[in-house]
Amino acid sequence: MTSTLPSSPPFLSSAAALVTPSPLSLPRPTDGAGDDGAATQLLSVSWNQDHGCFAAATSTGFRIYSCEPFSETFRRDIRGGGFRIVEMLFRSNILALVGSDANSQYPPSRVLIWDDHQSRCIGEFSFRSQVRAVRLSRDRIVVVLEHKVYVYNFTDLKLLHQIETLANPRGLCCLSHHPNTSVLALPGLYRGQVRIEHFGLNLVKLVNAHDNHIACLAITMDGLLLATASTKGTLIRIFNTMDGTRLQEVRRGVDRAEIYGMTLSQDVQWLAVSSGKGTVHIFSLRVRVAGEDSSTNSNSPQSPALLHQNSSTSVTSLISSSTSSNPSSSLSFMRGVLPKYFSSEWSFAQFRLPEETHFIAAFGSQNTVIVAGMDASFYRCQFDPVHGGEMLQQEYVRFLKTDIHPK
């Protein structure tokens, strides 16, 4: 479906302009003990920025779940249809909501910024075409349409940027959320191209990442490393967002597959990839944050050290000298002789899931991976950081009782 682009910036009503409360009325949170009902449909799942929670958008409203330990934090149910997209802002009371096709009050072309503590809408964006995705950080709101991305200032909800993209029905977009950087990655104007916006540096970098169309993007907390996958789904590439240099390439498999999600661990040691083949792959990364061995420019031992704010950053400083965790390193002497997939870097650990179900994965604590699926399932599994191999399942929860499981 081709979107009709707005000829002018979308209409925006901010909290200051609201005279009467939003007509959207949501009941107070429940304890999660109620009957879900056979008609409840799961429409999407999404992690918050630190992967400690996830939101489930349903045909009757939305629910928020905490991951460690797993529990339903609260739910909201409304009359007249639910929400297709629910985006959290860390663990705060601020949410971005996009209505479903069946929502009689708010269509899929409208974004609500919802304050759950005050139980009211504090901002609203209306467009002429369907909203494909929303991303939040502490200072920005990003709204993705099929051919355009709008960036707003969170403080006053003013429009900051309008960026045209190639057709983007998946709503591909990722936004950094480190307090000292503001980086946005999204599809460019050409097949396989990624556009990287460093807002604080007024720097734009175009990366020709793949020959095929982009299928998935993931960015580190500080926005300095970017992972990309194409619609072919066999190779995942890691780039330095400052200069566009490709730092590493890993292989999910040989056969084509749809990549559902990718996540980079906060310590930039691991990459998790979920696909339509029913597998979550964990890859060992050979990239590290520049300056991590130095105590300069680091206010917190757990905060990633930032690269120097120029494009002359040494690429070698991002690449680890150790290749002991690379499954292909023993074949390095045969490069150029064996087919390319023999010399690729294969996954370090794996977890098997039902095929054809849409799953997204993230990293938990103590070498664990958490997985949420569109079949309303939640898994927690653990991987061996030394030997890898098959991951051990630690927990399984069915968080929503429903007979309807869209892929």
Side-chain angles (χ1 to χ4, degrees), residues 4-21:
T4 302
L5 297 179
S7 57
S8 59
F11 169 77
L12 167 67
S13 60
S14 68
L18 293 177
V19 179
T20 58

Side-chain angles (χ1 to χ4, degrees), residues 60-92:
T60 59
F62 65 86
R63 304 171 190 206
I64 305 298
Y65 298 89
S66 179
C67 297
E68 293 190 15
F70 183 87
S71 64
E72 181 180 297
T73 303
F74 66 90
R75 67 172 69 177
R76 295 287 195 180
D77 294 308
I78 66 172
R79 296 177 180 177
F83 297 102
R84 188 173 53 84
I85 296 173
V86 178
E87 187 75 10
M88 301 177 66
L89 179 62
F90 293 90
R91 305 189 192 201
S92 73

